[in-house]
């Protein structure tokens, strides 16, 4: 499947202007990757720089895209609502600039019932901008 052809808004509960991923670029059972081109009209951009707090939402939306893909394309269900349960070991190396292409990768460490624990990395090319651990809780429908 060409993941980049999927409209990410069909995978996410968030909608514009609060969408912080452009494309799902990779999915397998353990690893999911998304991309985001930092644009000047992004809600988190000021003076050409993406605020570091955007990384948290970008990582969370990468988790949401993973879950949305699973629900829509594997289980043929509706998109679920998830919540950030915890963020640990957030390390921001530098903030991104307008025009840079972020690649965000999450690797599932553990899934138990409605909780998913992931390791996340946000990169531009080979440069790591941010790393974190995130716990996502999914609302029981």
């Amino acid at each position: 499947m060409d993941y980049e052809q999927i409209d990410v808004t069909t995978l996410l509960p968030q909608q514009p202007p609060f969408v912080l991923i452009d494309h799902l670029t990779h999915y397998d059972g353990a690893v999911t990757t998304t991309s985001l081109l930092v644009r000047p009209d992004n809600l988190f951009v000021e003076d050409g720089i993406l605020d570091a707090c955007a990384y948290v939402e970008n990582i969370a939306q990468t988790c949401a895209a993973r879950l949305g893909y699973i629900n829509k394309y594997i289980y043929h269900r509706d998109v679920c609502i998830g919540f950030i349960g915890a963020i640990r070991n957030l390390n921001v190396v530098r903030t991104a600039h307008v025009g840079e292409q972020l690649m965000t990768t999450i690797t599932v460490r553990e899934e138990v019932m409605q909780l998913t624990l992931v390791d996340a990395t946000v990169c531009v090319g080979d440069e790591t901008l941010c790393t974190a651990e995130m716990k996502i809780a999914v609302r029981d429908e």
Side-chain angles (χ1 to χ4, degrees), residues 2-40:
D2 185 3
Y3 299 110
E4 291 192 39
Q5 297 303 312
I6 297 172
D7 177 358
V8 294
T9 62
T10 66
L11 304 178
L12 301 173
Q14 298 87 349
Q15 293 300 302
F18 203 69
V19 175
L20 289 176
I21 62 175
D22 292 330
H23 300 284
L24 175 67
T25 60
H26 174 82
Y27 166 81
D28 64 35
V31 178
T32 302
T33 303
T34 61
S35 66
L36 172 70
L37 177 63
V38 180
R39 294 178 183 82

Side-chain angles (χ1 to χ4, degrees), residues 36-52:
L36 172 70
L37 177 63
V38 180
R39 294 178 183 82
D41 62 345
N42 185 298
L43 292 174
F44 291 94
V45 168
E46 186 172 325
D47 297 326
I49 297 173
L50 184 70
D51 191 286

